[in-house]
Amino acid sequence: MLVAMARKSANDDPLAPVTLAVGQEELLLDRAVREVVVAARAADADTDVRELTSDQLQPGTLAELTSPSLFAERKVVVVRGAQDLSADTIKDVTAYLGAPAEEITLVLVHAGGVKGKKLLDAARKAGAREVACPKMTKPADRLAFVRSEFRATGRSATPEACQALVDAIGSDLRELASAVSQLVADVEGTVDEAVVGRYYTGRAEASSFTVADRAVEGRAAEALEALRWSLATGVAPVLITSALAQGVRAIGKLSSARGGRPADLARELGMPPWKIDRVRQQMRGWTPDGVAVALRAVAEADAGVKGGGDDPGYALEKAVVTIARAARSRGRG
């Protein structure tokens, strides 16, 4: 599945006369182009592929590229940045859309939006195959992307592993795709959170939040192990206290909020919906008193990390143990 997460039109033949790849997610756009090229070369290994930018496609150029060949060779013509084509060139392309040449596949890569909308409308009216490649700005979209990447390889990964990978890598789809490929190549069986942790907890943000997640879940031993690993790999102690503070505050916010759907609570509390679901799972053992104790522990650790104590590592370990105990305060009550 080369175009993971890209939405396609009903006409899903990559060898359709015209493919319209629309959006601003570069990885998905590249995959949409590659899918067409792979299909064309599967049909004819000698397929000629021509890629042009908008400034390279001048009036008359498309006619030259799509003119009949003595050898009737298959050809793929890719136009990047189609939204930036000149008015005269758009006239050429629009005319071509009405009578596309045989054995030639035209791929128009368009950013979408208002600019160049006339070309978009013309291509859609002509029945072009469309692949939507929107920018993935929401964490939930990136999480779905990671899941689809694992599915595309025929491998399974736990939900926790997928989330950990998104937390570790961030918003760059190319890096996320590369990370999935590496894990699939190196690891046998189901990819779980522990595997992701071994590969990627060296990243400062990810490892600090791993410490916080394990602490607020009451998993003291794992939190301490993650803390020592973070400090050993050079994570700044202040990042860890910040992550601990965010974790405990999220528990406090959600426990005092009115019930409702994750989307409603997300708007009310300023958290993404996926975060609401995670915090709901983490808050099961918490009480209001436990939250108060944990917040004091974070404040003490923060003071110790910022110069109030001689050993930042010890201050963090003490906070982690206190928070983990507070996470189980309901069970001890």
PDB file of all heavy atoms in Angstrom, residues 230-256:
ATOM      1  N   SER A 230      16.952   8.355  31.041  1.00  0.00           N
ATOM      2  CA  SER A 230      16.883   9.719  30.515  1.00  0.00           C
ATOM      3  C   SER A 230      18.087  10.539  30.956  1.00  0.00           C
ATOM      4  O   SER A 230      18.720  11.229  30.151  1.00  0.00           O
ATOM      5  CB  SER A 230      15.590  10.406  30.984  1.00  0.00           C
ATOM      6  OG  SER A 230      14.461   9.747  30.480  1.00  0.00           O
ATOM      7  N   LEU A 231      18.380  10.482  32.237  1.00  0.00           N
ATOM      8  CA  LEU A 231      19.520  11.250  32.760  1.00  0.00           C
ATOM      9  C   LEU A 231      20.832  10.750  32.154  1.00  0.00           C
ATOM     10  O   LEU A 231      21.716  11.542  31.827  1.00  0.00           O
ATOM     11  CB  LEU A 231      19.560  11.155  34.283  1.00  0.00           C
ATOM     12  CG  LEU A 231      18.370  11.810  35.020  1.00  0.00           C
ATOM     13  CD1 LEU A 231      18.444  11.517  36.516  1.00  0.00           C
ATOM     14  CD2 LEU A 231      18.345  13.318  34.769  1.00  0.00           C
ATOM     15  N   ALA A 232      20.946   9.427  31.971  1.00  0.00           N
ATOM     16  CA  ALA A 232      22.179   8.860  31.405  1.00  0.00           C
ATOM     17  C   ALA A 232      22.380   9.257  29.954  1.00  0.00           C
ATOM     18  O   ALA A 232      23.525   9.334  29.473  1.00  0.00           O
ATOM     19  CB  ALA A 232      22.147   7.334  31.527  1.00  0.00           C
ATOM     20  N   THR A 233      21.281   9.521  29.242  1.00  0.00           N
ATOM     21  CA  THR A 233      21.394   9.888  27.825  1.00  0.00           C
ATOM     22  C   THR A 233      21.403  11.402  27.622  1.00  0.00           C
ATOM     23  O   THR A 233      21.296  11.879  26.501  1.00  0.00           O
ATOM     24  CB  THR A 233      20.245   9.274  27.001  1.00  0.00           C
ATOM     25  OG1 THR A 233      18.983   9.638  27.588  1.00  0.00           O
ATOM     26  CG2 THR A 233      20.364   7.759  26.958  1.00  0.00           C
ATOM     27  N   GLY A 234      21.506  12.143  28.722  1.00  0.00           N
ATOM     28  CA  GLY A 234      21.700  13.582  28.603  1.00  0.00           C
ATOM     29  C   GLY A 234      20.464  14.445  28.615  1.00  0.00           C
ATOM     30  O   GLY A 234      20.521  15.628  28.272  1.00  0.00           O
ATOM     31  N   VAL A 235      19.322  13.882  29.008  1.00  0.00           N
ATOM     32  CA  VAL A 235      18.109  14.698  29.076  1.00  0.00           C
ATOM     33  C   VAL A 235      18.233  15.684  30.243  1.00  0.00           C
ATOM     34  O   VAL A 235      18.599  15.296  31.352  1.00  0.00           O
ATOM     35  CB  VAL A 235      16.859  13.820  29.265  1.00  0.00           C
ATOM     36  CG1 VAL A 235      15.601  14.672  29.402  1.00  0.00           C
ATOM     37  CG2 VAL A 235      16.721  12.864  28.093  1.00  0.00           C
ATOM     38  N   ALA A 236      17.929  16.942  29.988  1.00  0.00           N
ATOM     39  CA  ALA A 236      18.027  17.963  31.026  1.00  0.00           C
ATOM     40  C   ALA A 236      17.006  17.684  32.128  1.00  0.00           C
ATOM     41  O   ALA A 236      15.820  17.459  31.826  1.00  0.00           O
ATOM     42  CB  ALA A 236      17.794  19.348  30.432  1.00  0.00           C
ATOM     43  N   PRO A 237      17.409  17.693  33.405  1.00  0.00           N
ATOM     44  CA  PRO A 237      16.456  17.451  34.503  1.00  0.00           C
ATOM     45  C   PRO A 237      15.247  18.372  34.467  1.00  0.00           C
ATOM     46  O   PRO A 237      14.146  17.962  34.826  1.00  0.00           O
ATOM     47  CB  PRO A 237      17.308  17.691  35.757  1.00  0.00           C
ATOM     48  CG  PRO A 237      18.699  17.341  35.333  1.00  0.00           C
ATOM     49  CD  PRO A 237      18.796  17.819  33.912  1.00  0.00           C
ATOM     50  N   VAL A 238      15.426  19.615  34.007  1.00  0.00           N
ATOM     51  CA  VAL A 238      14.295  20.549  33.977  1.00  0.00           C
ATOM     52  C   VAL A 238      13.201  20.072  33.021  1.00  0.00           C
ATOM     53  O   VAL A 238      12.012  20.328  33.242  1.00  0.00           O
ATOM     54  CB  VAL A 238      14.770  21.970  33.599  1.00  0.00           C
ATOM     55  CG1 VAL A 238      15.259  22.027  32.155  1.00  0.00           C
ATOM     56  CG2 VAL A 238      13.675  23.002  33.817  1.00  0.00           C
ATOM     57  N   LEU A 239      13.578  19.342  31.959  1.00  0.00           N
ATOM     58  CA  LEU A 239      12.571  18.785  31.052  1.00  0.00           C
ATOM     59  C   LEU A 239      11.744  17.709  31.740  1.00  0.00           C
ATOM     60  O   LEU A 239      10.545  17.561  31.491  1.00  0.00           O
ATOM     61  CB  LEU A 239      13.245  18.210  29.801  1.00  0.00           C
ATOM     62  CG  LEU A 239      13.846  19.192  28.796  1.00  0.00           C
ATOM     63  CD1 LEU A 239      14.512  18.424  27.657  1.00  0.00           C
ATOM     64  CD2 LEU A 239      12.773  20.111  28.243  1.00  0.00           C
ATOM     65  N   ILE A 240      12.389  16.968  32.616  1.00  0.00           N
ATOM     66  CA  ILE A 240      11.681  15.896  33.310  1.00  0.00           C
ATOM     67  C   ILE A 240      10.716  16.473  34.340  1.00  0.00           C
ATOM     68  O   ILE A 240       9.572  16.016  34.460  1.00  0.00           O
ATOM     69  CB  ILE A 240      12.690  14.933  33.965  1.00  0.00           C
ATOM     70  CG1 ILE A 240      13.595  14.320  32.873  1.00  0.00           C
ATOM     71  CG2 ILE A 240      11.961  13.830  34.745  1.00  0.00           C
ATOM     72  CD1 ILE A 240      14.731  13.481  33.403  1.00  0.00           C
ATOM     73  N   THR A 241      11.153  17.492  35.097  1.00  0.00           N
ATOM     74  CA  THR A 241      10.215  18.100  36.056  1.00  0.00           C
ATOM     75  C   THR A 241       9.037  18.736  35.327  1.00  0.00           C
ATOM     76  O   THR A 241       7.901  18.684  35.799  1.00  0.00           O
ATOM     77  CB  THR A 241      10.913  19.162  36.921  1.00  0.00           C
ATOM     78  OG1 THR A 241      11.571  20.123  36.089  1.00  0.00           O
ATOM     79  CG2 THR A 241      11.924  18.525  37.848  1.00  0.00           C
ATOM     80  N   SER A 242       9.297  19.319  34.162  1.00  0.00           N
ATOM     81  CA  SER A 242       8.213  19.906  33.379  1.00  0.00           C
ATOM     82  C   SER A 242       7.218  18.840  32.952  1.00  0.00           C
ATOM     83  O   SER A 242       5.993  19.036  33.030  1.00  0.00           O
ATOM     84  CB  SER A 242       8.784  20.619  32.148  1.00  0.00           C
ATOM     85  OG  SER A 242       7.746  21.098  31.321  1.00  0.00           O
ATOM     86  N   ALA A 243       7.723  17.689  32.489  1.00  0.00           N
ATOM     87  CA  ALA A 243       6.840  16.603  32.068  1.00  0.00           C
ATOM     88  C   ALA A 243       6.052  16.045  33.253  1.00  0.00           C
ATOM     89  O   ALA A 243       4.858  15.749  33.135  1.00  0.00           O
ATOM     90  CB  ALA A 243       7.663  15.490  31.417  1.00  0.00           C
ATOM     91  N   LEU A 244       6.707  15.910  34.412  1.00  0.00           N
ATOM     92  CA  LEU A 244       5.998  15.447  35.606  1.00  0.00           C
ATOM     93  C   LEU A 244       4.878  16.411  35.986  1.00  0.00           C
ATOM     94  O   LEU A 244       3.762  15.995  36.324  1.00  0.00           O
ATOM     95  CB  LEU A 244       6.981  15.297  36.772  1.00  0.00           C
ATOM     96  CG  LEU A 244       7.987  14.146  36.682  1.00  0.00           C
ATOM     97  CD1 LEU A 244       9.033  14.279  37.778  1.00  0.00           C
ATOM     98  CD2 LEU A 244       7.273  12.800  36.786  1.00  0.00           C
ATOM     99  N   ALA A 245       5.186  17.711  35.929  1.00  0.00           N
ATOM    100  CA  ALA A 245       4.178  18.717  36.266  1.00  0.00           C
ATOM    101  C   ALA A 245       2.989  18.633  35.320  1.00  0.00           C
ATOM    102  O   ALA A 245       1.819  18.676  35.749  1.00  0.00           O
ATOM    103  CB  ALA A 245       4.803  20.111  36.223  1.00  0.00           C
ATOM    104  N   GLN A 246       3.264  18.499  34.025  1.00  0.00           N
ATOM    105  CA  GLN A 246       2.175  18.403  33.053  1.00  0.00           C
ATOM    106  C   GLN A 246       1.325  17.162  33.290  1.00  0.00           C
ATOM    107  O   GLN A 246       0.087  17.208  33.197  1.00  0.00           O
ATOM    108  CB  GLN A 246       2.748  18.374  31.633  1.00  0.00           C
ATOM    109  CG  GLN A 246       3.326  19.705  31.176  1.00  0.00           C
ATOM    110  CD  GLN A 246       3.800  19.634  29.735  1.00  0.00           C
ATOM    111  OE1 GLN A 246       3.088  19.175  28.854  1.00  0.00           O
ATOM    112  NE2 GLN A 246       5.021  20.089  29.487  1.00  0.00           N
ATOM    113  N   GLY A 247       1.976  16.048  33.613  1.00  0.00           N
ATOM    114  CA  GLY A 247       1.249  14.808  33.841  1.00  0.00           C
ATOM    115  C   GLY A 247       0.316  14.891  35.039  1.00  0.00           C
ATOM    116  O   GLY A 247      -0.846  14.484  34.975  1.00  0.00           O
ATOM    117  N   VAL A 248       0.826  15.441  36.153  1.00  0.00           N
ATOM    118  CA  VAL A 248       0.004  15.541  37.361  1.00  0.00           C
ATOM    119  C   VAL A 248      -1.110  16.563  37.167  1.00  0.00           C
ATOM    120  O   VAL A 248      -2.259  16.346  37.576  1.00  0.00           O
ATOM    121  CB  VAL A 248       0.880  15.911  38.577  1.00  0.00           C
ATOM    122  CG1 VAL A 248       0.003  16.136  39.810  1.00  0.00           C
ATOM    123  CG2 VAL A 248       1.904  14.817  38.852  1.00  0.00           C
ATOM    124  N   ARG A 249      -0.794  17.690  36.532  1.00  0.00           N
ATOM    125  CA  ARG A 249      -1.829  18.712  36.312  1.00  0.00           C
ATOM    126  C   ARG A 249      -2.948  18.184  35.416  1.00  0.00           C
ATOM    127  O   ARG A 249      -4.120  18.512  35.609  1.00  0.00           O
ATOM    128  CB  ARG A 249      -1.195  19.956  35.684  1.00  0.00           C
ATOM    129  CG  ARG A 249      -0.382  20.778  36.671  1.00  0.00           C
ATOM    130  CD  ARG A 249       0.269  21.943  35.986  1.00  0.00           C
ATOM    131  NE  ARG A 249       1.233  22.602  36.863  1.00  0.00           N
ATOM    132  CZ  ARG A 249       2.396  23.099  36.468  1.00  0.00           C
ATOM    133  NH1 ARG A 249       2.739  23.014  35.190  1.00  0.00           N
ATOM    134  NH2 ARG A 249       3.200  23.689  37.326  1.00  0.00           N
ATOM    135  N   ALA A 250      -2.586  17.373  34.428  1.00  0.00           N
ATOM    136  CA  ALA A 250      -3.609  16.796  33.548  1.00  0.00           C
ATOM    137  C   ALA A 250      -4.549  15.900  34.345  1.00  0.00           C
ATOM    138  O   ALA A 250      -5.771  15.916  34.131  1.00  0.00           O
ATOM    139  CB  ALA A 250      -2.948  16.011  32.414  1.00  0.00           C
ATOM    140  N   ILE A 251      -3.988  15.112  35.277  1.00  0.00           N
ATOM    141  CA  ILE A 251      -4.821  14.280  36.152  1.00  0.00           C
ATOM    142  C   ILE A 251      -5.776  15.165  36.945  1.00  0.00           C
ATOM    143  O   ILE A 251      -6.982  14.900  37.041  1.00  0.00           O
ATOM    144  CB  ILE A 251      -3.947  13.463  37.123  1.00  0.00           C
ATOM    145  CG1 ILE A 251      -3.037  12.489  36.362  1.00  0.00           C
ATOM    146  CG2 ILE A 251      -4.818  12.736  38.153  1.00  0.00           C
ATOM    147  CD1 ILE A 251      -3.723  11.302  35.772  1.00  0.00           C
ATOM    148  N   GLY A 252      -5.243  16.242  37.538  1.00  0.00           N
ATOM    149  CA  GLY A 252      -6.062  17.143  38.334  1.00  0.00           C
ATOM    150  C   GLY A 252      -7.154  17.815  37.527  1.00  0.00           C
ATOM    151  O   GLY A 252      -8.309  17.912  37.966  1.00  0.00           O
ATOM    152  N   LYS A 253      -6.806  18.281  36.336  1.00  0.00           N
ATOM    153  CA  LYS A 253      -7.789  18.959  35.487  1.00  0.00           C
ATOM    154  C   LYS A 253      -8.937  18.029  35.114  1.00  0.00           C
ATOM    155  O   LYS A 253     -10.111  18.377  35.217  1.00  0.00           O
ATOM    156  CB  LYS A 253      -7.122  19.457  34.186  1.00  0.00           C
ATOM    157  CG  LYS A 253      -6.305  20.720  34.327  1.00  0.00           C
ATOM    158  CD  LYS A 253      -5.769  21.102  32.943  1.00  0.00           C
ATOM    159  CE  LYS A 253      -4.937  22.366  32.996  1.00  0.00           C
ATOM    160  NZ  LYS A 253      -4.434  22.710  31.637  1.00  0.00           N
ATOM    161  N   LEU A 254      -8.591  16.826  34.675  1.00  0.00           N
ATOM    162  CA  LEU A 254      -9.614  15.919  34.196  1.00  0.00           C
ATOM    163  C   LEU A 254     -10.476  15.392  35.341  1.00  0.00           C
ATOM    164  O   LEU A 254     -11.686  15.192  35.183  1.00  0.00           O
ATOM    165  CB  LEU A 254      -8.982  14.757  33.425  1.00  0.00           C
ATOM    166  CG  LEU A 254      -9.942  13.888  32.608  1.00  0.00           C
ATOM    167  CD1 LEU A 254     -10.752  14.737  31.629  1.00  0.00           C
ATOM    168  CD2 LEU A 254      -9.174  12.810  31.860  1.00  0.00           C
ATOM    169  N   SER A 255      -9.877  15.184  36.501  1.00  0.00           N
ATOM    170  CA  SER A 255     -10.647  14.656  37.632  1.00  0.00           C
ATOM    171  C   SER A 255     -11.663  15.667  38.139  1.00  0.00           C
ATOM    172  O   SER A 255     -12.691  15.293  38.705  1.00  0.00           O
ATOM    173  CB  SER A 255      -9.704  14.243  38.777  1.00  0.00           C
ATOM    174  OG  SER A 255      -8.997  15.364  39.267  1.00  0.00           O
ATOM    175  N   SER A 256     -11.394  16.953  37.927  1.00  0.00           N
ATOM    176  CA  SER A 256     -12.332  17.979  38.395  1.00  0.00           C
ATOM    177  C   SER A 256     -13.266  18.473  37.288  1.00  0.00           C
ATOM    178  O   SER A 256     -14.132  19.308  37.537  1.00  0.00           O
ATOM    179  CB  SER A 256     -11.568  19.174  38.974  1.00  0.00           C
ATOM    180  OG  SER A 256     -10.737  19.753  37.978  1.00  0.00           O
TER     181      SER A 256
END
